[in-house]
Amino acid sequence: MKDLHTLGVAELGRALDAGQVSSTEVTKHLLARVASHEHLGAFLCTDTDLALEQAAAADARIAAGERSPLLGVPLAHKDIFVTEGLPTTAGSRMLAGYRSPFDATVVRQLGDAGMVTLGKLNCDEFAMGSGNENSAFAPVKNPWDTSRVPGGSSGGSAAAVAARLVPAATGTDTGGSIRQPASFTGITGIKPTYGRVSRYGMIAFASSLDQAGPMARSAEDCALLLDAMSGFDPRDSTSAEQARPAFAKALAAPRDGATAGQPLKGLRIGLPAEFFPAALAADVNGAVRAALAELEKLGATLVDVSLPRTELSIPVYYIIAPAEASSNLSRFDGVRYGHRARQYTDLIDMYKKTRAEGFGDEVKRRIMIGTYVLSHGYYDAYYLQAQKLRRMIADDFQACFQQCDLIAGPVAPTVAWKLGEKSADPVATYLADIFTLPASLAGLPGMSLPAGQGESGMPVGLQLIGNYFQEGALLHAAHAFQQATDWHARTPTGY
Ligand code: GLN
Protein backbone atom coordinates (compact mmCIF):
# COMPACT_ATOMS: atom_id res chain seq x y z
CA MET A 1 0.00 0.00 0.00
CA LYS A 2 1.37 3.40 -1.01
CA ASP A 3 1.52 6.18 1.56
CA LEU A 4 -2.13 6.96 2.24
CA HIS A 5 -1.90 10.68 1.49
CA THR A 6 -0.67 9.95 -2.03
CA LEU A 7 -4.00 8.36 -2.94
CA GLY A 8 -6.64 10.44 -4.72
CA VAL A 9 -10.40 10.14 -4.20
CA ALA A 10 -11.00 7.33 -6.71
CA GLU A 11 -7.96 5.33 -5.57
CA LEU A 12 -8.86 5.73 -1.91
CA GLY A 13 -12.44 4.72 -2.61
CA ARG A 14 -11.21 1.53 -4.27
CA ALA A 15 -8.80 0.74 -1.41
CA LEU A 16 -11.57 1.26 1.16
CA ASP A 17 -13.91 -0.82 -0.91
CA ALA A 18 -11.42 -3.67 -1.13
CA GLY A 19 -10.84 -3.54 2.61
CA GLN A 20 -7.15 -2.69 2.12
CA VAL A 21 -7.48 0.22 4.49
CA SER A 22 -10.14 1.58 6.85
CA SER A 23 -11.57 5.08 6.86
CA THR A 24 -10.37 5.42 10.45
CA GLU A 25 -6.77 4.71 9.41
CA VAL A 26 -6.89 7.18 6.53
CA THR A 27 -8.52 9.82 8.69
CA LYS A 28 -5.89 9.48 11.42
CA HIS A 29 -3.08 9.58 8.89
CA LEU A 30 -4.39 12.74 7.22
CA LEU A 31 -5.17 14.53 10.49
CA ALA A 32 -1.56 13.95 11.57
CA ARG A 33 -0.42 15.32 8.23
CA VAL A 34 -2.61 18.40 8.61
CA ALA A 35 -1.09 18.99 12.05
CA SER A 36 2.47 18.74 10.73
CA HIS A 37 1.76 21.23 7.91
CA GLU A 38 0.23 24.04 9.91
CA HIS A 39 2.77 26.49 8.49
CA LEU A 40 0.84 26.45 5.18
CA GLY A 41 -2.13 28.09 6.89
CA ALA A 42 -4.55 25.97 4.86
CA PHE A 43 -6.77 24.81 7.72
CA LEU A 44 -8.67 27.11 10.07
CA CYS A 45 -9.86 24.26 12.26
CA THR A 46 -10.00 20.49 12.56
CA ASP A 47 -12.01 18.31 14.91
CA THR A 48 -10.43 14.93 15.59
CA ASP A 49 -13.36 13.50 17.54
CA LEU A 50 -15.92 14.49 14.94
CA ALA A 51 -13.78 13.18 12.06
CA LEU A 52 -13.12 9.86 13.79
CA GLU A 53 -16.80 9.49 14.60
CA GLN A 54 -17.66 10.00 10.91
CA ALA A 55 -14.86 7.62 9.88
CA ALA A 56 -16.17 4.93 12.25
CA ALA A 57 -19.66 5.38 10.81
CA ALA A 58 -18.26 5.00 7.28
CA ASP A 59 -16.32 1.89 8.30
CA ALA A 60 -19.53 0.43 9.72
CA ARG A 61 -21.38 1.13 6.46
CA ILE A 62 -18.59 -0.55 4.48
CA ALA A 63 -18.61 -3.52 6.86
CA ALA A 64 -22.37 -3.81 6.33
CA GLY A 65 -21.71 -4.25 2.62
CA GLU A 66 -22.50 -0.77 1.35
CA ARG A 67 -20.54 0.21 -1.74
CA SER A 68 -20.19 3.81 -2.85
CA PRO A 69 -17.13 5.56 -4.30
CA LEU A 70 -16.98 8.35 -1.70
CA LEU A 71 -17.77 6.24 1.37
CA GLY A 72 -15.07 6.78 3.98
CA VAL A 73 -13.00 9.21 1.88
CA PRO A 74 -11.90 12.32 3.83
CA LEU A 75 -12.30 15.89 2.63
CA ALA A 76 -12.38 19.39 4.07
CA HIS A 77 -14.70 22.30 3.40
CA LYS A 78 -13.95 25.87 2.46
CA ASP A 79 -14.94 27.86 5.52
CA ILE A 80 -17.67 29.61 3.57
CA PHE A 81 -19.98 26.58 3.91
CA VAL A 82 -21.83 26.49 7.21
CA THR A 83 -21.34 23.36 9.29
CA GLU A 84 -23.27 22.24 12.31
CA GLY A 85 -20.40 20.52 14.07
CA LEU A 86 -17.56 22.95 13.33
CA PRO A 87 -17.12 26.72 13.53
CA THR A 88 -17.75 28.79 10.39
CA THR A 89 -15.96 32.10 9.84
CA ALA A 90 -15.91 32.89 6.10
CA GLY A 91 -12.34 33.99 6.80
CA SER A 92 -13.68 36.98 8.73
CA ARG A 93 -13.29 38.30 12.25
CA MET A 94 -16.97 39.20 11.93
CA LEU A 95 -17.84 35.51 12.32
CA ALA A 96 -15.10 34.46 14.73
CA GLY A 97 -16.68 31.99 17.15
CA TYR A 98 -19.83 31.56 15.07
CA ARG A 99 -21.47 28.14 14.92
CA SER A 100 -24.24 27.38 12.50
CA PRO A 101 -27.31 25.46 13.65
CA PHE A 102 -27.39 23.55 10.33
CA ASP A 103 -25.22 22.14 7.55
CA ALA A 104 -25.02 23.66 4.07
CA THR A 105 -26.69 21.42 1.48
CA VAL A 106 -23.32 20.62 -0.09
CA VAL A 107 -21.91 19.60 3.30
CA ARG A 108 -24.93 17.41 3.95
CA GLN A 109 -24.81 15.79 0.49
CA LEU A 110 -21.13 14.89 0.77
CA GLY A 111 -21.68 13.71 4.34
CA ASP A 112 -24.57 11.51 3.23
CA ALA A 113 -22.29 10.03 0.56
CA GLY A 114 -20.07 8.95 3.45
CA MET A 115 -17.26 11.49 3.18
CA VAL A 116 -15.43 12.34 6.38
CA THR A 117 -14.96 16.03 7.20
CA LEU A 118 -11.47 16.74 8.57
CA GLY A 119 -12.03 20.45 9.12
CA LYS A 120 -12.55 23.88 7.58
CA LEU A 121 -10.27 25.59 5.12
CA ASN A 122 -8.92 29.10 5.06
CA CYS A 123 -10.17 31.53 2.42
CA ASP A 124 -10.25 35.21 1.57
CA GLU A 125 -12.66 37.10 3.78
CA PHE A 126 -16.18 36.44 2.45
CA ALA A 127 -14.47 34.97 -0.63
CA MET A 128 -13.26 38.37 -1.79
CA GLY A 129 -9.79 38.08 -3.21
CA SER A 130 -7.44 36.30 -5.56
CA GLY A 131 -4.52 35.43 -3.34
CA ASN A 132 -5.94 34.38 0.03
CA GLU A 133 -4.15 37.32 1.63
CA ASN A 134 -7.51 38.83 2.60
CA SER A 135 -8.17 36.15 5.22
CA ALA A 136 -8.59 37.80 8.63
CA PHE A 137 -6.66 34.93 10.21
CA ALA A 138 -3.55 34.16 8.16
CA PRO A 139 -2.47 34.14 4.55
CA VAL A 140 -2.21 30.68 2.97
CA LYS A 141 1.10 29.64 1.43
CA ASN A 142 1.53 27.89 -1.88
CA PRO A 143 3.12 24.46 -1.31
CA TRP A 144 5.03 24.78 -4.60
CA ASP A 145 6.84 27.83 -3.22
CA THR A 146 5.87 29.09 0.21
CA SER A 147 6.87 32.64 -0.67
CA ARG A 148 3.98 32.70 -3.14
CA VAL A 149 0.20 32.90 -2.84
CA PRO A 150 -1.93 29.79 -3.52
CA GLY A 151 -4.51 31.91 -5.34
CA GLY A 152 -7.91 32.79 -3.96
CA SER A 153 -10.39 32.94 -2.67
CA SER A 154 -10.40 29.12 -2.21
CA GLY A 155 -6.67 29.21 -1.39
CA GLY A 156 -6.88 26.95 1.66
CA SER A 157 -8.73 24.32 -0.37
CA ALA A 158 -6.15 24.48 -3.16
CA ALA A 159 -3.11 24.38 -0.86
CA ALA A 160 -4.55 21.49 1.16
CA VAL A 161 -5.16 19.36 -1.93
CA ALA A 162 -1.82 20.30 -3.54
CA ALA A 163 0.09 19.49 -0.34
CA ARG A 164 -1.70 16.12 -0.15
CA LEU A 165 -3.26 16.97 3.22
CA VAL A 166 -6.62 15.88 1.89
CA PRO A 167 -7.64 14.19 -1.39
CA ALA A 168 -10.41 16.70 -2.13
CA ALA A 169 -11.98 19.90 -0.90
CA THR A 170 -14.97 22.06 -1.61
CA GLY A 171 -14.53 25.52 -3.06
CA THR A 172 -16.69 28.35 -4.29
CA ASP A 173 -16.26 30.40 -7.41
CA THR A 174 -17.88 33.82 -7.85
CA GLY A 175 -15.38 35.22 -10.30
CA GLY A 176 -12.71 32.52 -10.48
CA SER A 177 -12.13 31.32 -6.93
CA ILE A 178 -12.08 27.63 -7.78
CA ARG A 179 -10.32 27.84 -11.15
CA GLN A 180 -7.57 30.33 -10.32
CA PRO A 181 -6.29 28.69 -7.08
CA ALA A 182 -6.50 25.30 -8.83
CA SER A 183 -4.31 26.72 -11.58
CA PHE A 184 -1.85 28.28 -9.10
CA THR A 185 -1.37 25.03 -7.17
CA GLY A 186 -1.45 22.43 -9.94
CA ILE A 187 -4.75 20.78 -9.04
CA THR A 188 -8.05 20.28 -10.87
CA GLY A 189 -11.18 22.27 -10.07
CA ILE A 190 -14.55 22.80 -11.67
CA LYS A 191 -17.04 25.62 -11.30
CA PRO A 192 -20.35 24.16 -12.39
CA THR A 193 -23.10 26.00 -14.26
CA TYR A 194 -24.78 28.60 -12.03
CA GLY A 195 -27.63 26.74 -10.33
CA ARG A 196 -26.21 23.23 -10.73
CA VAL A 197 -25.06 23.03 -7.10
CA SER A 198 -27.10 24.35 -4.18
CA ARG A 199 -26.05 27.63 -2.58
CA TYR A 200 -28.05 26.91 0.58
CA GLY A 201 -25.74 27.38 3.55
CA MET A 202 -22.97 28.88 1.45
CA ILE A 203 -22.32 32.30 2.93
CA ALA A 204 -23.40 34.73 0.22
CA PHE A 205 -20.92 37.04 -1.50
CA ALA A 206 -22.58 37.89 -4.85
CA SER A 207 -25.66 35.73 -5.14
CA SER A 208 -26.11 35.94 -8.92
CA LEU A 209 -22.55 34.63 -9.42
CA ASP A 210 -21.72 32.36 -6.45
CA GLN A 211 -21.36 28.68 -7.25
CA ALA A 212 -19.85 25.76 -5.33
CA GLY A 213 -17.67 23.09 -6.84
CA PRO A 214 -15.08 20.42 -6.09
CA MET A 215 -11.31 20.78 -6.05
CA ALA A 216 -9.23 17.62 -6.28
CA ARG A 217 -6.29 16.11 -8.12
CA SER A 218 -8.00 14.91 -11.26
CA ALA A 219 -11.08 15.32 -13.39
CA GLU A 220 -12.17 11.84 -12.30
CA ASP A 221 -12.00 12.81 -8.63
CA CYS A 222 -13.88 16.06 -9.32
CA ALA A 223 -16.56 14.10 -11.20
CA LEU A 224 -17.07 11.78 -8.24
CA LEU A 225 -17.64 14.71 -5.92
CA LEU A 226 -19.78 16.64 -8.37
CA ASP A 227 -22.07 13.63 -8.73
CA ALA A 228 -22.84 13.89 -5.02
CA MET A 229 -22.98 17.71 -4.87
CA SER A 230 -25.28 18.37 -7.80
CA GLY A 231 -29.03 18.35 -7.94
CA PHE A 232 -32.10 20.44 -7.30
CA ASP A 233 -32.47 21.91 -3.83
CA PRO A 234 -35.87 23.36 -2.90
CA ARG A 235 -34.07 25.48 -0.29
CA ASP A 236 -32.19 27.44 -2.98
CA SER A 237 -34.51 29.51 -5.18
CA THR A 238 -31.92 29.64 -7.97
CA SER A 239 -31.25 25.91 -7.94
CA ALA A 240 -31.73 24.40 -11.40
CA GLU A 241 -34.30 21.67 -11.82
CA GLN A 242 -31.88 19.29 -13.46
CA ALA A 243 -31.72 15.57 -12.85
CA ARG A 244 -28.76 14.50 -10.77
CA PRO A 245 -26.11 13.58 -13.34
CA ALA A 246 -23.67 10.68 -13.40
CA PHE A 247 -20.51 12.48 -14.47
CA ALA A 248 -18.03 9.93 -13.17
CA LYS A 249 -19.62 7.05 -15.04
CA ALA A 250 -19.68 9.02 -18.28
CA LEU A 251 -15.95 9.77 -18.22
CA ALA A 252 -14.87 6.56 -19.85
CA ALA A 253 -17.76 6.40 -22.34
CA PRO A 254 -16.36 7.02 -25.82
CA ARG A 255 -17.50 10.07 -27.79
CA ASP A 256 -19.30 9.43 -31.06
CA GLY A 257 -16.63 9.07 -33.70
CA ALA A 258 -13.78 8.53 -31.23
CA THR A 259 -11.05 6.14 -32.31
CA ALA A 260 -8.30 4.38 -30.38
CA GLY A 261 -5.73 7.04 -29.48
CA GLN A 262 -8.12 9.82 -30.56
CA PRO A 263 -10.71 9.93 -27.79
CA LEU A 264 -11.52 13.57 -28.57
CA LYS A 265 -12.06 13.14 -32.29
CA GLY A 266 -14.78 15.48 -33.46
CA LEU A 267 -14.50 17.81 -30.45
CA ARG A 268 -14.19 21.45 -31.55
CA ILE A 269 -12.28 23.64 -29.11
CA GLY A 270 -12.61 27.39 -29.58
CA LEU A 271 -9.69 29.69 -28.80
CA PRO A 272 -10.87 33.26 -28.17
CA ALA A 273 -8.24 35.65 -29.53
CA GLU A 274 -8.84 37.89 -26.49
CA PHE A 275 -7.65 35.09 -24.17
CA PHE A 276 -4.19 35.26 -25.74
CA PRO A 277 -3.26 38.96 -25.53
CA ALA A 278 0.28 40.23 -25.99
CA ALA A 279 0.44 40.84 -22.22
CA LEU A 280 -0.06 37.15 -21.43
CA ALA A 281 3.06 35.89 -19.63
CA ALA A 282 5.28 33.89 -21.99
CA ASP A 283 5.50 30.89 -19.64
CA VAL A 284 1.71 30.69 -19.30
CA ASN A 285 1.24 31.07 -23.04
CA GLY A 286 3.82 28.34 -23.70
CA ALA A 287 2.26 25.84 -21.30
CA VAL A 288 -1.28 26.51 -22.52
CA ARG A 289 -0.25 26.20 -26.18
CA ALA A 290 1.51 22.90 -25.45
CA ALA A 291 -1.62 21.60 -23.71
CA LEU A 292 -3.73 22.64 -26.69
CA ALA A 293 -1.36 20.76 -29.01
CA GLU A 294 -1.85 17.70 -26.80
CA LEU A 295 -5.63 18.05 -27.09
CA GLU A 296 -5.20 18.24 -30.86
CA LYS A 297 -3.19 15.02 -30.76
CA LEU A 298 -6.09 13.45 -28.91
CA GLY A 299 -8.31 14.29 -31.84
CA ALA A 300 -9.75 17.72 -30.99
CA THR A 301 -9.88 20.46 -33.63
CA LEU A 302 -8.90 24.00 -32.62
CA VAL A 303 -10.96 26.83 -34.03
CA ASP A 304 -10.48 30.60 -33.70
CA VAL A 305 -13.34 32.39 -31.98
CA SER A 306 -13.81 35.79 -30.37
CA LEU A 307 -15.08 37.06 -27.02
CA PRO A 308 -14.83 40.76 -27.85
CA ARG A 309 -15.93 42.02 -24.44
CA THR A 310 -13.40 40.03 -22.39
CA GLU A 311 -11.68 43.17 -21.03
CA LEU A 312 -15.00 44.72 -20.09
CA SER A 313 -15.77 41.77 -17.86
CA ILE A 314 -13.46 43.32 -15.25
CA PRO A 315 -15.37 46.58 -14.70
CA VAL A 316 -18.68 44.75 -15.15
CA TYR A 317 -17.84 42.18 -12.47
CA TYR A 318 -16.31 44.74 -10.12
CA ILE A 319 -19.58 46.70 -10.22
CA ILE A 320 -22.05 43.82 -9.99
CA ALA A 321 -20.24 41.71 -7.40
CA PRO A 322 -19.68 44.58 -4.91
CA ALA A 323 -23.27 45.75 -5.45
CA GLU A 324 -24.59 42.35 -4.44
CA ALA A 325 -22.02 42.03 -1.66
CA SER A 326 -23.04 45.36 -0.12
CA SER A 327 -26.57 44.07 0.11
CA ASN A 328 -25.66 40.55 1.32
CA LEU A 329 -23.29 41.80 4.01
CA SER A 330 -25.86 44.11 5.55
CA ARG A 331 -26.98 41.14 7.65
CA PHE A 332 -23.78 41.35 9.73
CA ASP A 333 -25.09 43.91 12.14
CA GLY A 334 -23.84 42.70 15.51
CA VAL A 335 -27.30 41.46 16.40
CA ARG A 336 -27.79 38.25 14.50
CA TYR A 337 -24.35 36.74 14.01
CA GLY A 338 -20.85 36.65 15.37
CA HIS A 339 -19.02 39.73 16.44
CA ARG A 340 -20.51 42.65 18.37
CA ALA A 341 -18.55 45.72 19.47
CA ARG A 342 -17.95 45.77 23.24
CA GLN A 343 -18.55 49.46 23.76
CA TYR A 344 -21.10 51.66 22.09
CA THR A 345 -23.47 54.46 22.91
CA ASP A 346 -26.64 53.53 21.00
CA LEU A 347 -27.89 51.14 18.32
CA ILE A 348 -26.45 53.04 15.35
CA ASP A 349 -23.13 53.36 17.11
CA MET A 350 -23.20 49.61 17.79
CA TYR A 351 -23.75 48.87 14.09
CA LYS A 352 -20.96 51.20 13.08
CA LYS A 353 -18.41 49.94 15.57
CA THR A 354 -19.29 46.28 14.99
CA ARG A 355 -18.83 46.60 11.24
CA ALA A 356 -15.72 48.77 11.54
CA GLU A 357 -14.11 46.16 13.81
CA GLY A 358 -15.45 43.03 12.16
CA PHE A 359 -14.74 43.63 8.47
CA GLY A 360 -11.32 43.84 6.85
CA ASP A 361 -10.18 46.44 4.32
CA GLU A 362 -11.13 44.62 1.12
CA VAL A 363 -14.63 43.86 2.40
CA LYS A 364 -15.11 47.50 3.39
CA ARG A 365 -13.85 48.61 -0.02
CA ARG A 366 -16.42 46.37 -1.73
CA ILE A 367 -19.25 47.56 0.51
CA MET A 368 -18.40 51.15 -0.35
CA ILE A 369 -18.14 50.50 -4.09
CA GLY A 370 -21.36 48.49 -4.03
CA THR A 371 -23.29 51.10 -2.09
CA TYR A 372 -22.03 53.81 -4.43
CA VAL A 373 -22.99 52.06 -7.68
CA LEU A 374 -26.45 51.28 -6.33
CA SER A 375 -27.14 54.75 -5.03
CA HIS A 376 -29.65 57.10 -6.60
CA GLY A 377 -28.01 59.05 -9.40
CA TYR A 378 -25.29 56.48 -10.06
CA TYR A 379 -27.40 53.38 -10.52
CA ASP A 380 -28.11 54.08 -14.22
CA ALA A 381 -24.54 55.09 -14.96
CA TYR A 382 -22.89 52.06 -13.37
CA TYR A 383 -25.09 49.21 -12.24
CA LEU A 384 -27.56 49.30 -15.12
CA GLN A 385 -24.79 49.63 -17.71
CA ALA A 386 -22.96 46.71 -16.11
CA GLN A 387 -26.08 44.55 -16.24
CA LYS A 388 -26.55 45.34 -19.95
CA LEU A 389 -22.95 44.44 -20.67
CA ARG A 390 -23.32 41.26 -18.66
CA ARG A 391 -26.05 40.16 -21.03
CA MET A 392 -23.87 41.01 -24.05
CA ILE A 393 -20.98 38.99 -22.60
CA ALA A 394 -23.31 36.00 -22.21
CA ASP A 395 -24.50 36.46 -25.81
CA ASP A 396 -20.89 36.56 -27.06
CA PHE A 397 -20.40 33.08 -25.60
CA GLN A 398 -23.49 31.79 -27.37
CA ALA A 399 -22.10 33.11 -30.66
CA CYS A 400 -18.87 31.19 -29.96
CA PHE A 401 -20.75 27.99 -29.18
CA GLN A 402 -22.16 28.11 -32.72
CA GLN A 403 -18.62 27.35 -33.86
CA CYS A 404 -17.23 25.14 -31.11
CA ASP A 405 -18.16 22.71 -28.33
CA LEU A 406 -15.75 23.96 -25.67
CA ILE A 407 -13.68 27.09 -25.21
CA ALA A 408 -10.09 26.95 -23.98
CA GLY A 409 -7.51 29.41 -22.75
CA PRO A 410 -5.39 30.32 -19.76
CA VAL A 411 -6.90 30.63 -16.28
CA ALA A 412 -4.77 33.58 -15.21
CA PRO A 413 -2.30 35.85 -17.04
CA THR A 414 0.66 34.76 -14.84
CA VAL A 415 1.69 31.98 -12.45
CA ALA A 416 1.13 32.52 -8.70
CA TRP A 417 2.62 35.80 -7.53
CA LYS A 418 4.69 36.46 -4.42
CA LEU A 419 2.97 37.04 -1.08
CA GLY A 420 2.65 40.78 -0.58
CA GLU A 421 3.42 41.58 -4.20
CA LYS A 422 -0.05 42.90 -5.02
CA SER A 423 -1.48 43.61 -1.58
CA ALA A 424 -0.96 47.36 -1.83
CA ASP A 425 -2.76 47.52 -5.16
CA PRO A 426 -6.23 45.96 -5.21
CA VAL A 427 -6.78 46.95 -8.84
CA ALA A 428 -3.74 44.89 -9.90
CA THR A 429 -5.39 41.78 -8.42
CA TYR A 430 -8.74 42.65 -10.04
CA LEU A 431 -7.03 42.81 -13.44
CA ALA A 432 -5.58 39.32 -12.97
CA ASP A 433 -9.15 37.92 -12.92
CA ILE A 434 -9.63 38.75 -16.62
CA PHE A 435 -9.91 35.19 -17.94
CA THR A 436 -12.16 33.75 -15.23
CA LEU A 437 -14.72 36.57 -14.97
CA PRO A 438 -16.40 36.13 -18.39
CA ALA A 439 -17.69 32.60 -17.69
CA SER A 440 -18.81 33.68 -14.21
CA LEU A 441 -20.80 36.61 -15.57
CA ALA A 442 -22.41 34.31 -18.14
CA GLY A 443 -23.11 31.60 -15.52
CA LEU A 444 -21.25 29.01 -17.59
CA PRO A 445 -19.32 26.02 -16.25
CA GLY A 446 -15.55 26.32 -16.32
CA MET A 447 -12.68 24.24 -15.12
CA SER A 448 -8.97 24.44 -14.54
CA LEU A 449 -6.66 21.51 -15.08
CA PRO A 450 -2.92 21.32 -14.61
CA ALA A 451 -1.37 21.90 -18.04
CA GLY A 452 2.31 22.46 -17.42
CA GLN A 453 4.87 24.40 -15.46
CA GLY A 454 6.05 27.96 -15.93
CA GLU A 455 8.50 30.31 -14.27
CA SER A 456 10.40 28.69 -11.35
CA GLY A 457 8.50 25.43 -11.89
CA MET A 458 5.19 26.98 -10.84
CA PRO A 459 2.05 25.21 -12.12
CA VAL A 460 0.03 26.59 -15.03
CA GLY A 461 -3.61 25.69 -15.52
CA LEU A 462 -5.60 25.29 -18.70
CA GLN A 463 -9.13 26.66 -18.55
CA LEU A 464 -11.96 24.89 -20.34
CA ILE A 465 -15.39 26.55 -20.56
CA GLY A 466 -18.54 24.77 -21.68
CA ASN A 467 -22.08 25.74 -22.53
CA TYR A 468 -24.77 25.59 -19.83
CA PHE A 469 -24.96 22.22 -18.04
CA GLN A 470 -22.12 20.81 -20.16
CA GLU A 471 -19.96 19.88 -17.16
CA GLY A 472 -19.93 16.34 -18.53
CA ALA A 473 -18.19 17.49 -21.72
CA LEU A 474 -15.63 19.49 -19.72
CA LEU A 475 -14.84 16.60 -17.43
CA HIS A 476 -14.68 14.16 -20.34
CA ALA A 477 -12.13 16.27 -22.24
CA ALA A 478 -10.12 16.93 -19.07
CA HIS A 479 -10.11 13.22 -18.22
CA ALA A 480 -8.88 12.32 -21.72
CA PHE A 481 -6.10 14.90 -21.33
CA GLN A 482 -5.16 13.50 -17.92
CA GLN A 483 -5.06 9.94 -19.25
CA ALA A 484 -2.44 11.10 -21.74
CA THR A 485 -0.39 13.47 -19.51
CA ASP A 486 0.89 13.48 -15.93
CA TRP A 487 0.77 17.17 -14.96
CA HIS A 488 -2.05 16.48 -12.51
CA ALA A 489 -0.03 13.76 -10.80
CA ARG A 490 2.97 15.98 -10.04
CA THR A 491 3.47 17.09 -6.49
CA PRO A 492 5.43 19.99 -5.08
CA THR A 493 8.84 18.88 -3.78
CA GLY A 494 8.67 17.45 -0.30
CA TYR A 495 4.97 16.59 -0.39
N1 GLN B 1 -11.09 37.37 -7.30
C1 GLN B 1 -12.47 37.65 -7.43
C2 GLN B 1 -12.93 38.60 -6.37
O1 GLN B 1 -12.13 39.01 -5.58
C3 GLN B 1 -13.27 36.38 -7.40
C4 GLN B 1 -13.50 35.85 -6.04
C5 GLN B 1 -14.40 34.63 -6.02
O2 GLN B 1 -14.59 33.97 -7.03
N2 GLN B 1 -14.96 34.35 -4.86
O3 GLN B 1 -14.04 38.96 -6.27
Side-chain angles (χ1 to χ4, degrees):
M1 195 88 218
K2 287 199 279 181
D3 260 349
L4 291 176
H5 59 269
T6 64
L7 302 177
V9 175
E11 287 172 299
L12 254 182
R14 283 192 289 270
L16 286 158
D17 200 69
Q20 290 162 334
V21 63
S22 70
S23 178
T24 303
E25 277 172 76
V26 185
T27 302
K28 282 186 178 158
H29 177 80
L30 293 180
L31 281 170
R33 203 169 154 79
V34 171
S36 59
H37 289 82
E38 267 178 12
H39 61 279
L40 290 174
F43 275 77
L44 288 176
C45 70
T46 51
D47 186 328
T48 304
D49 293 344
L50 189 72
L52 289 176
E53 200 180 290
Q54 293 178 0
D59 284 331
R61 281 167 69 177
I62 295 170
E66 191 176 332
R67 292 292 174 262
S68 150
L70 298 176
L71 189 53
V73 178
L75 95 164
H77 291 293
K78 182 176 182 180
D79 203 18
I80 201 100
F81 293 94
V82 301
T83 39
E84 205 181 324
L86 292 152
T88 301
T89 66
S92 181
R93 255 192 303 278
M94 186 60 101
L95 283 173
Y98 173 70
R99 280 187 176 255
S100 165
F102 66 96
D103 278 332
T105 297
V106 163
V107 171
R108 185 180 47 71
Q109 286 166 319
L110 293 168
D112 287 349
M115 295 197 88
V116 174
T117 303
L118 297 188
K120 303 294 284 287
L121 296 160
N122 205 345
C123 57
D124 281 304
E125 185 172 7
F126 290 104
M128 297 175 190
S130 309
N132 219 119
E133 292 177 283
N134 297 337
S135 161
F137 304 109
V140 179
K141 294 180 179 144
N142 191 321
W144 290 86
D145 173 352
T146 51
S147 70
R148 293 179 192 255
V149 300
S153 64
S154 312
S157 307
V161 173
R164 303 324 193 217
L165 307 185
V166 71
T170 50
T172 61
D173 189 311
T174 302
S177 282
I178 287 176
R179 290 162 286 161
Q180 184 256 24
S183 173
F184 279 12
T185 58
I187 67 162
T188 306
I190 180 163
K191 176 199 99 75
T193 307
Y194 179 78
R196 171 73 93 176
V197 174
S198 170
R199 291 186 298 108
Y200 183 70
M202 206 171 104
I203 294 175
F205 161 13
S207 309
S208 76
L209 294 151
D210 296 342
Q211 184 58 198
M215 300 173 78
R217 291 174 209 169
S218 65
E220 184 187 13
D221 288 0
C222 284
L224 287 166
L225 265 82
L226 197 54
D227 280 348
M229 292 167 76
S230 304
F232 175 67
D233 181 5
R235 290 195 168 103
D236 171 2
S237 60
T238 55
S239 174
E241 291 198 40
Q242 291 271 332
R244 182 178 270 209
F247 295 124
K249 233 189 221 146
L251 286 184
R255 285 177 55 83
D256 284 348
T259 58
Q262 295 232 297
L264 300 182
K265 202 166 167 85
L267 183 75
R268 297 165 307 162
I269 299 181
L271 308 183
E274 297 78 6
F275 275 30
F276 297 89
L280 182 63
D283 57 342
V284 173
N285 187 41
V288 168
R289 298 276 183 192
L292 293 169
E294 183 65 41
L295 288 166
E296 250 184 322
K297 250 174 50 197
L298 295 171
T301 337
L302 305 180
V303 293
D304 291 326
V305 295
S306 176
L307 287 170
R309 275 164 276 252
T310 297
E311 267 187 34
L312 285 174
S313 65
I314 302 171
V316 169
Y317 172 88
Y318 280 98
I319 287 171
I320 293 175
E324 294 185 21
S326 70
S327 166
N328 274 323
L329 297 183
S330 64
R331 76 192 67 187
F332 300 104
D333 57 2
V335 177
R336 287 172 286 187
Y337 311 92
H339 179 73
R340 177 184 301 172
R342 287 246 170 87
Q343 303 201 335
Y344 47 87
T345 50
D346 56 19
L347 182 65
I348 299 294
D349 191 45
M350 189 280 281
Y351 289 156
K352 283 187 185 161
K353 290 204 169 112
T354 295
R355 289 167 67 83
E357 292 167 11
F359 290 138
D361 289 347
E362 183 60 27
V363 173
K364 287 177 183 158
R365 187 176 297 121
R366 307 259 179 136
I367 293 173
M368 285 191 284
I369 296 171
T371 311
Y372 180 83
V373 299
L374 289 176
S375 58
H376 184 73
Y378 294 110
Y379 180 95
D380 289 355
Y382 295 104
Y383 186 72
L384 202 61
Q385 288 294 97
Q387 289 290 25
K388 287 181 182 166
L389 278 162
R390 181 178 188 177
R391 160 56 54 198
M392 293 164 102
I393 289 166
D395 290 346
D396 291 343
F397 274 107
Q398 291 313 308
C400 285
F401 287 127
Q402 299 290 319
Q403 294 163 262
C404 61
D405 307 299
L406 299 179
I407 288 169
V411 177
T414 62
V415 295
W417 52 83
K418 297 270 184 185
L419 282 148
E421 189 182 318
K422 291 191 202 279
S423 23
D425 185 0
V427 175
T429 61
Y430 300 169
L431 295 177
D433 289 341
I434 181 164
F435 303 130
T436 50
L437 299 178
S440 296
L441 289 165
L444 294 166
M447 78 183 286
S448 172
L449 55 148
Q453 283 170 348
E455 181 211 326
S456 316
M458 294 306 290
V460 176
L462 171 76
Q463 181 173 210
L464 294 177
I465 300 170
N467 212 340
Y468 298 109
F469 301 106
Q470 295 299 307
E471 291 86 354
L474 290 180
L475 291 162
H476 186 275
H479 182 64
F481 180 82
Q482 293 183 337
Q483 297 294 99
T485 57
D486 72 348
W487 297 109
H488 64 290
R490 303 204 185 182
T491 45
T493 323
Y495 294 89

